[in-house]
Amino acid sequence: MVGLGAMPGYGIQSMLKEGHRHLSGLDEAVLKNIDACRELSAITRTSLGPNGMNKMVINHLDKLFVTNDAATIVNELEVQHPAAKILVLAARAQQEEIGDGANLTISFAGELLEKAGGAHQDGLAPERDHHWLQQSHQHGKLSFFQSRGILLAIQVLEDLIEKGSENMDVRNMEEVVLRMRSAVASKQFGQEDILCPLVADACIQVCPKNPANFNVDNVRVAKLVGGGLHNSSVVRGMVLKNDAVGSIKRVEKAKIAVFAGGVDTSATETKGTVLIHSAEQLENYSKTEEAKVEELIKAVADSGAKVIVSGAAVGDMALHFCERYKLMVLKISSKFELRRFCRTTGAIAILKLSRPNADELGYADSVSVEEIGGTRVTVVKNEAGGNSVATVVLRGSTDSILDDLERAVDDGVNTYKSMCRDSRIIPGAAATEIELARRLKEFSLKETGLDHAMEIISSLYAEHASGNTKVGIELEEGACKDVSILKIWDLYMTKFFALKYAADAVCTVLRVDQIIMAKPAGGPRPQAGPGMDED
């Protein structure tokens, strides 16, 4: 029978192992969560917009990132605070769903939490705060929003949609570039007129018959150091960053055989020993092996193939016979690149070296080795069309610049994917945000008991109060102008999901009123402090 002295602690102490941390109450849990999220938001906020500042982040592998891309910043920071992680997850969801607007999601969520924190400090009970943020709503597509403020924001967004923008030809270069410029300019301001036509061209090339099935993986990026952005180009096909194996460097109108298992003599499943008594026996043994390899390579050549692609090793003897039968040899070690190559050429990967059937062969208009900026690359082209992969060849002076250019291209490609689903546009250049702020402030003045302080730009507010809802900021002149004349537009979908994920993240953080952390394995026993229970 266990005595009273051996009984574990009471309350939450009886449930958790020794060394746990338990934070509760307004100061210890709610406000600390809000502060952590505000700090994260402050990091990314200065990177928002075309003139946003870059961050220099060095991750745990000592890899350097110099970028203003919020998704990259928060991922490489490896945020540990559980509440701030919720904002990171919201930004990641935005990035995966839309491919752009991660910074808007974090910044907006941070501002909401800052105002909620002020309300808490003014004595507003958390239950009432949640009630304000989470009024239930039953209007169909908006049913997943549970915030009155967010519901109003979505209604304002829908009011600002440009009439007729829902009807769009996703293969029209001019219309695609128009919708893509803002997303690309937010990463590479001043370079959007060069980048957007490249990205739009690549996307249109690989757009399927049903645009809703557009796959962002079909637009590839090849980063080659040297030259400048004006040297960049689009290839209808793939660019492999390696040289061909052997002496044959160019083939036109080529049928292609792909072998996932490599181009080499197949080893036996069991080990064996061959006893050779004379030089003649050794010569006959070698000739037999050579004859077998030659037979296999000749069978590939007889099938009509001019190019062999190996997914693994290329044996010296096999390469010798490939040269004899005028077969170009490529080696692609990455299985993902091999799959993309098969998509590009229409080939079917064969597991072992054998004669391919006609339907297993792929085709390319040309396969050639070229030298670009001192780097030898293999270019696989399908100029006549029919290819399902296009490659944007980016040129730049350093790896950091190329990495940031790639992020801009990625935003452009994801924007194209979004416009294939929903092409509606709303005014850009802060016009939409200011109109949202103005309408929400008017709405907030009708509410009581909340802190509604908001920094605004007085000139923009005056324009919008006069009914000019499409007036935004013209950065080069620093003046307020009509964005419909300047052709600066943002996708409706980007703002819609940014508001959705930010509101969901804020509601999740504000619901938390206790933090309970188990003791780390092998870690030191934490010191007891205010608001922290100790066994």
Side-chain angles (χ1 to χ4, degrees):
M1 185 172 180
V2 181
L4 291 177
M7 289 292 287
Y10 57 88
I12 197 171
Q13 300 177 19
S14 64
M15 294 188 295
L16 302 176
K17 62 183 179 182
E18 182 182 358
H20 76 274
R21 299 177 67 193
H22 175 214
L23 306 176
S24 64
L26 181 64
D27 291 334
E28 287 295 330
V30 179
L31 294 183
K32 281 190 176 181
N33 281 347
I34 291 174
D35 284 342
C37 295
R38 285 173 54 195
E39 289 295 328
L40 178 64
S41 175
I43 292 173
T44 61
R45 187 187 298 125
T46 55
S47 295
L48 185 63
N51 281 337
M53 303 298 290
N54 284 349
K55 307 295 181 187
M56 184 179 290
V57 182
I58 302 172
N59 68 5
H60 67 289
L61 298 175
D62 287 336
K63 183 176 180 181
L64 174 67
F65 294 85
V66 181
T67 181
N68 65 353
D69 181 56
T72 303
I73 293 169
V74 296
N75 281 332
E76 298 305 328
L77 282 176
E78 296 184 2
V79 176
Q80 294 299 313
H81 194 283
K85 270 186 176 179
I86 294 173
L87 263 63
V88 174
L89 292 173
R92 191 173 296 166
Q94 171 75 8
Q95 191 70 15
E96 291 176 359
E97 180 73 28
I98 301 297
D100 188 27
N103 203 333
L104 175 61
T105 303
I106 296 176
S107 299
F108 182 59
E111 287 297 309
L112 286 178
L113 285 169
E114 183 173 356
K115 299 299 181 283
H120 276 292
Q121 290 175 330
D122 288 344
L124 184 67
E127 291 78 12
R128 185 178 176 189
D129 199 15
H130 295 168
H131 183 69
W132 172 70
L133 277 168
Q134 294 203 299
Q135 292 288 331
S136 61
H137 202 276
Q138 304 297 328
H139 291 315
K141 65 179 180 180
L142 296 180
S143 61
F144 52 77
F145 283 105
Q146 296 183 332
S147 164
R148 292 163 62 191
I150 296 300
L151 283 169
L152 176 62
I154 297 303
Q155 291 169 7
V156 174
L157 278 185
E158 292 184 345
D159 291 343
L160 294 175
I161 292 173
E162 184 71 3
K163 292 181 180 178
S165 62
E166 65 276 5
N167 301 318
M168 176 203 172
D169 180 8
V170 294
R171 293 176 177 82
N172 184 309
M173 176 74 76
E174 185 178 343
E175 291 191 22
V176 170
V177 170
L178 177 71
R179 286 164 168 76
M180 194 180 286
R181 287 181 77 250
S182 291
V184 174
S186 68
K187 296 293 183 292
Q188 291 290 327
F189 183 53
Q191 310 286 4
E192 65 271 16
D193 290 334
I194 301 174
L195 276 172
C196 286
L198 293 174
V199 179
D201 184 21
C203 292
I204 291 170
Q205 284 180 28
V206 300
C207 184
K209 290 182 179 179
N210 182 3
N213 295 329
F214 177 80
N215 184 1
V216 295
D217 190 58
N218 288 340
V219 178
R220 310 302 306 159
V221 174
K223 300 175 290 185
L224 301 177
V225 176
L229 184 59
H230 59 279
N231 299 120
S232 300
S233 60
V234 176
V235 172
R236 293 174 178 263
M238 284 189 73
V239 176
L240 306 173
K241 293 182 69 175
N242 54 280
D243 197 351
V245 183
S247 62
I248 301 174
K249 304 296 184 183
R250 183 176 185 86
V251 176
E252 303 283 345
K253 294 184 177 4
K255 289 185 178 180
I256 302 170
V258 178
F259 298 102
V263 180
D264 202 354
T265 53
S266 56
T268 57
E269 293 182 1
T270 58
K271 292 183 179 180
T273 302
V274 178
L275 186 60
I276 296 174
H277 297 283
S278 65
E280 184 179 359
Q281 289 179 346
L282 176 60
E283 184 179 7
N284 290 337
Y285 179 81
S286 300
K287 284 182 178 179
T288 303
E289 187 179 12
E290 287 180 18
K292 180 62 176 176
V293 175
E294 182 177 10
E295 180 186 344
L296 292 170
I297 299 298
K298 185 176 184 299
V300 175
D302 290 343
S303 70
K306 294 183 179 179
V307 179
I308 285 182
V309 178
S310 173
V314 179
D316 292 337
M317 192 179 299
L319 179 60
H320 164 73
F321 288 111
C322 288
E323 295 280 321
R324 175 181 292 183
Y325 290 100
K326 306 297 181 185
L327 293 173
M328 184 178 186
V329 182
L330 302 177
K331 182 181 176 182
I332 303 177
S333 300
S334 167
K335 64 180 181 181
F336 301 105
E337 281 291 281
L338 198 66
R339 288 174 187 167
R340 295 185 189 107
F341 185 90
C342 289
R343 283 210 307 268
T344 304
T345 60
I348 296 175
I350 304 168
L351 291 179
K352 60 183 295 185
L353 188 60
S354 60
R355 180 188 177 111
N357 299 325
D359 57 349
E360 293 174 330
L361 293 174
Y363 175 82
D365 288 336
S366 68
V367 181
S368 61
V369 176
E370 300 177 13
E371 188 168 328
I372 303 176
T375 304
R376 294 180 73 83
V377 296
T378 304
V379 181
V380 183
K381 292 183 180 179
N382 270 330
E383 296 291 353
N387 56 304
S388 59
V389 175
T391 303
V392 180
V393 181
L394 292 176
R395 306 295 309 284
S397 56
T398 67
D399 288 329
S400 293
I401 290 174
L402 287 171
D403 288 342
D404 226 25
L405 286 171
E406 183 182 19
R407 294 182 192 107
V409 171
D410 183 61
D411 278 7
V413 174
N414 279 285
T415 300
Y416 185 84
K417 174 189 172 185
S418 296
M419 72 180 75
C420 284
R421 295 159 53 190
D422 189 339
S423 62
R424 291 178 292 175
I425 54 177
I426 52 179
T432 293
E433 284 78 2
I434 289 296
E435 184 63 16
L436 281 170
R438 185 186 71 82
R439 299 257 201 112
L440 287 171
K441 186 177 183 182
E442 288 180 358
F443 168 73
S444 69
L445 294 175
K446 300 174 185 176
E447 298 288 316
T448 58
L450 296 175
D451 180 5
H452 300 292
M454 186 181 297
E455 293 184 6
I456 58 173
I457 304 172
S458 58
S459 58
L460 272 180
Y461 248 123
E463 291 283 357
H464 281 254
S466 302
N468 302 323
T469 60
K470 295 180 183 177
V471 172
I473 303 172
E474 209 287 321
L475 282 174
E476 294 181 356
E477 298 182 17
C480 299
K481 292 188 177 181
D482 190 333
V483 298
S484 62
I485 298 174
L486 298 175
K487 303 295 184 185
I488 302 174
W489 301 100
D490 289 340
L491 276 185
Y492 166 81
M493 289 280 284
T494 302
K495 306 291 186 190
F496 180 87
F497 279 97
L499 292 173
K500 171 190 182 303
Y501 291 131
D504 288 349
V506 169
C507 291
T508 302
V509 171
L510 288 176
R511 282 197 195 100
V512 176
D513 68 345
Q514 293 191 31
I515 305 173
I516 305 168
M517 291 177 283
K519 176 183 175 183
R525 182 186 179 88
Q527 298 295 321
M532 186 185 299
D533 296 335
E534 183 178 19
D535 282 357

